[in-house]
Amino acid sequence: MSEKRDDFLNHLIGSPFASLGVGRIGVAVSGGGDSMALLCLVTDWAKENGAVISAVTVDHGLRPEAAAEAAGVAAFCAARRTPHEVLRWDGWDGKGNVQSAARAARYRLIAGWAKANDVEAVCLGHTRDDQAETFLMRLARKAGSDGLRGMADTFEREGVQWLRPLLQADREDLRGYLRRQDVAWVEDPSNEDRRFDRVKARQAMAALGPLGIDAGVLSAVAQNLSGENALIRETVRNALAGQVEAHMGALCCGETVFAALHPEIRRRFLMAAVQWIGGGDYKPRLSAVSELETALQQGDAHTVGGVIGWVSKGRVWLAREYERVREARGTPFDGRWQIDGVTLRQEEGRENGQEIRALGPNGLQQLGNWRDLGLPRRALLPLPAVWEGENLVCAPLLDAPIAGLGVKATDLRPSFDKWLMQH
């Protein structure tokens, strides 16, 4: 039986790499049972298939044991001659949802590591149990099929491809595999902390067992909803095809087109647009989107999640709110625009060092001819620009005012069309 389970796990690992043709693979490893099993399985697959593998661990600095656990992963990787790096996060300010902040930081740090090391895809150790727990958590939030369809086995974030090859594997199967491989793992004490929703969901699973509702059942339901949700998303994308235009991170469509959309398609368009433009990890609240929809139908301006919508000259526009990026600095600008070709001078006491910040009203004034671009002022204000003191050096997305500097702005997010299907 154990041999069959191991064969099943090895099959799960090989499937995504074969279909994607990935040759340089990264593995996110915390030291827990799921990620350690993932590391071992991917390492064995890579050796047999000539792929290059490297591992990364994020030390969030939230527990005293975290540094020792990261060191343990490093020692394990060294013994197996697998390149490994520890990334440290010290950005927690004690406010808000610690797990949400840590998760966002983890994706951001690992994405930076992947790009720096030419890693084509990063593997995550989420299991069928995680899928079921996520289903329950989202059910408690009254999610529709978008949320209940479960976690995707592949997705893009922070300009990086991510894979979850073990979504059909059980947590206990992975621990059994580790025992047979004589590989140790650590247990995060937060997995027993009832302050966290995931722990509550895990305990609720045990209570649902007598009804025949287990991780396998909930995972299957999520998969069924995923298929139905894909059809909905395809319908939305087809309805918006050729009707919605993207301009440097902003979106627009005809006012009459917007009004004629089916209410569910219009709602989904606005929810996707706000998340795509604003970069939020989660979709905006339905009530907030309803307020935005009402305002646009009445020809008024309204903001949701750092995104402003308005009507101008017969067109509905959605763009990043300038006030949200007014104080933003550096690259990736606003977590979205990767700016290359700029040498940032940061010598102490230098007042005219170059920096990256929003174009803003001052930048538009220096551009002078911005109206010739045919884009609304609100859509231009939040764009990244290179400054030297109060002097505009260039606006890379507009290629102005000085061409030939070699400055380039790359959008780290997928196209809106692709975003509609993935998110």
Side-chain angles (χ1 to χ4, degrees):
M1 179 66 71
S2 61
E3 290 183 0
K4 289 184 178 179
R5 297 307 300 171
D6 288 355
D7 288 343
F8 173 66
L9 294 175
N10 285 314
H11 168 72
L12 293 180
I13 290 296
S15 296
F17 303 134
S19 60
L20 294 174
V22 175
R24 297 183 65 87
I25 306 164
V27 183
V29 190
S30 67
D34 301 341
S35 63
M36 288 298 291
L38 176 68
L39 175 62
C40 294
L41 288 163
V42 175
T43 298
D44 290 345
W45 182 90
K47 288 180 179 178
E48 294 179 3
N49 292 272
V52 178
I53 179 176
S54 53
V56 61
T57 301
V58 177
D59 176 1
H60 298 93
L62 298 175
R63 296 184 295 110
E65 307 87 352
E69 292 168 2
V73 175
F76 181 84
C77 289
R80 294 202 169 198
R81 297 183 179 180
T82 299
H84 175 263
E85 188 171 346
V86 177
L87 309 176
R88 290 179 173 81
W89 178 58
D90 57 3
W92 174 239
D93 58 4
K95 300 177 182 178
N97 186 312
V98 61
Q99 288 197 323
S100 178
R103 180 170 55 252
R106 187 161 57 247
Y107 276 112
R108 184 174 63 254
L109 289 171
I110 294 177
W113 166 84
K115 295 170 189 175
N117 291 277
D118 297 323
V119 170
E120 297 174 82
V122 178
C123 295
L124 302 173
H126 296 121
T127 66
R128 186 162 67 172
D129 299 83
D130 293 307
Q131 186 77 286
E133 292 159 8
T134 300
F135 182 95
L136 286 178
M137 292 163 61
R138 293 177 177 174
L139 185 64
R141 298 173 188 146
K142 304 177 183 178
S145 65
D146 283 344
L148 298 181
R149 68 188 178 125
M151 296 182 287
D153 53 9
T154 178
F155 63 101
E156 288 184 29
R157 180 167 175 169
E158 302 283 349
V160 169
Q161 184 81 15
W162 305 81
L163 307 176
R164 295 185 178 111
L166 296 178
L167 278 181
Q168 297 180 49
D170 291 328
R171 192 172 288 144
E172 280 307 310
D173 280 345
L174 296 180
R175 280 151 178 74
Y177 166 80
L178 290 176
R179 293 186 188 99
R180 290 189 292 276
Q181 299 292 320
D182 195 26
V183 173
W185 69 91
V186 297
E187 293 290 355
D188 186 343
S190 66
N191 289 334
E192 302 299 327
D193 192 335
R194 281 188 56 82
R195 291 177 300 172
F196 300 127
D197 288 344
R198 185 165 294 278
V199 176
K200 296 175 184 177
R202 190 168 300 166
Q203 295 175 346
M205 290 283 294
L208 292 171
L211 291 174
I213 301 175
D214 57 14
V217 169
L218 293 181
S219 181
V221 172
Q223 188 170 6
N224 291 339
L225 288 172
S226 178
E228 295 173 7
N229 186 259
L231 177 61
I232 295 173
R233 289 167 181 270
E234 185 68 30
T235 301
V236 173
R237 187 171 69 168
N238 290 339
L240 299 178
Q243 306 293 341
V244 177
E245 301 173 7
H247 297 279
M248 292 174 283
L251 297 171
C252 70
C253 70
E255 190 175 8
T256 55
V257 169
F258 182 79
L261 290 173
H262 184 283
E264 178 67 11
I265 292 177
R266 186 166 56 239
R267 180 185 69 84
R268 285 178 170 273
F269 163 55
L270 290 177
M271 294 191 82
V274 169
Q275 193 179 16
W276 183 73
I277 296 170
D281 291 332
Y282 303 103
K283 292 181 180 296
R285 297 191 313 275
L286 178 59
S287 58
V289 171
S290 296
E291 292 174 0
L292 172 62
E293 180 181 4
T294 299
L296 292 174
Q297 288 175 322
Q298 295 174 350
D300 298 328
H302 191 75
T303 59
V304 173
V307 174
I308 184 168
W310 73 98
V311 179
S312 175
K313 299 179 180 179
R315 298 183 72 76
V316 172
W317 284 88
L318 295 152
R320 189 64 160 138
E321 185 184 10
Y322 169 62
E323 288 301 319
R324 284 295 185 100
V325 298
R326 188 172 185 173
E327 302 301 324
R329 299 290 186 273
T331 183
F333 181 78
D334 193 25
R336 174 171 196 167
W337 302 105
Q338 177 66 41
I339 311 298
D340 296 304
V342 179
T343 302
L344 301 180
R345 298 196 293 270
Q346 301 182 12
E347 294 92 330
E348 185 176 353
R350 188 183 183 102
E351 296 182 356
N352 64 339
Q354 288 183 345
E355 66 175 354
I356 299 168
R357 62 178 192 264
L359 185 62
N362 186 19
L364 286 183
Q365 185 176 1
Q366 293 187 45
L367 281 176
N369 63 343
W370 63 268
R371 290 179 178 81
D372 295 342
L373 298 171
L375 298 175
R377 182 175 184 272
R378 282 180 172 140
L380 298 174
L381 290 174
L383 297 182
V386 180
W387 293 84
E388 201 164 273
E390 292 303 312
N391 295 318
L392 179 66
V393 177
C394 69
L397 284 167
L398 307 177
D399 193 27
I402 304 173
L405 290 179
V407 179
K408 179 183 178 183
T410 303
D411 192 349
L412 298 179
R413 288 175 205 162
S415 67
F416 183 64
D417 182 67
K418 183 180 289 187
W419 183 274
L420 284 171
M421 295 304 295
Q422 292 182 341
H423 294 76

